[in-house]
Amino acid sequence: MEEELKLHKCIICEQEKVFGIMICSEFLCDDCEAEMVRTDVMDARYPFFIHQMNKIWYKQDA
Ligand SMILES: [Zn+2]
């Protein structure tokens, strides 16, 4: 049986990716997940990740 590879839009990079994880019904691609794990709190990109992740939490209130 052939498994269908579905594309999901990543909440962080906003690109269509096949591999990643679902967080609260939002998709986080493998690349961004790995990037976030590597990113230090002092890293310039950290606020960006937090900002993108906030989109997920805000949707929970809807
Ligand atoms: Zn991504």
Side-chain angles (χ1 to χ4, degrees), residues 1 9 15 17-18 27 34-35 39-40 43 45 52 62:
M1 202 157 71
K9 191 178 182 185
Q15 290 183 40
K17 299 287 182 75
V18 174
F27 180 76
E35 192 75 17
T39 303
D40 190 83
D43 194 292
R45 287 170 299 175
Q52 295 297 90

Side-chain angles (χ1 to χ4, degrees), residues 1-5:
M1 202 157 71
E2 200 174 303
E3 196 176 324
E4 190 186 346
L5 292 175

Side-chain angles (χ1 to χ4, degrees), residues 1-39:
M1 202 157 71
E2 200 174 303
E3 196 176 324
E4 190 186 346
L5 292 175
K6 286 183 181 169
L7 284 170
H8 300 276
K9 191 178 182 185
C10 173
I11 189 77
I12 303 290
C13 64
E14 297 183 325
Q15 290 183 40
E16 301 277 321
K17 299 287 182 75
V18 174
F19 301 106
I21 55 166
M22 297 297 291
I23 305 173
C24 304
S25 79
E26 296 297 336
F27 180 76
L28 177 66
C29 77
D30 269 358
D31 292 339
C32 291
E33 189 198 1
E35 192 75 17
M36 283 186 77
V37 170
R38 279 199 306 268
T39 303

